[in-house]
Amino acid sequence: MRVKGSLFRCYAAVFSCLLALLLSAAPASAKATDLHPCLRAAANGETVAQMLARPSKFDCESGQSTLPAGDYWARFAIGAETKTDSQAMVFRTA
């Protein structure tokens, strides 16, 4: 009886993974766009309003891996060609 319970849990785990993949898949009409981040070192105690008030301080040329360790603000410029009226834009990050 113990084997049946383990087998059931195994099947349940596989089913859950497959269901998660199906539900998270992008619709066929979705179009991916490359985003290039602009980065700026975060100052201690800085608020979002303060950071957004100085957009010229962002570095859009350097790659993230070339910057020293620390905390950074990131912003993405999204071109007008990516916006559509028929479909909402979804931004996913990890």
Side-chain angles (χ1 to χ4, degrees), residues 5-6 10 12 15 18-19 25 29 32-33 40 45 47 51-52 54-55 61 63-64 67-68 70 73 81 83-84 87:
S6 297
C10 181
F15 177 75
L18 290 174
L19 184 62
S29 63
T33 301
R40 181 167 85 77
T47 65
M51 178 267 303
L52 291 174
R54 294 187 302 258
E61 301 301 320
Q64 181 180 359
L67 300 172
W73 292 104
E81 69 278 356
K83 183 170 173 49
T84 64
Q87 187 177 19

Side-chain angles (χ1 to χ4, degrees), residues 67-86:
L67 300 172
D71 293 329
Y72 288 86
W73 292 104
R75 77 175 169 85
F76 298 91
I78 300 172
E81 69 278 356
T82 61
K83 183 170 173 49
T84 64
D85 293 332
S86 63

Side-chain angles (χ1 to χ4, degrees), residues 2 17 19-22 24 29 34-35 40 43 55 60 62 68 72-73 76-77 84 88 94:
R2 188 176 189 99
C17 290
L19 184 62
L21 283 173
L22 289 174
S24 66
S29 63
D34 288 334
L35 296 175
R40 181 167 85 77
C60 299
S62 300
Y72 288 86
W73 292 104
F76 298 91
T84 64

Side-chain angles (χ1 to χ4, degrees), residues 38-62:
C38 297
L39 304 167
R40 181 167 85 77
N44 286 337
E46 185 175 39
T47 65
V48 173
Q50 292 169 330
M51 178 267 303
L52 291 174
R54 294 187 302 258
S56 63
K57 299 286 185 182
F58 282 88
D59 178 4
C60 299
E61 301 301 320
S62 300

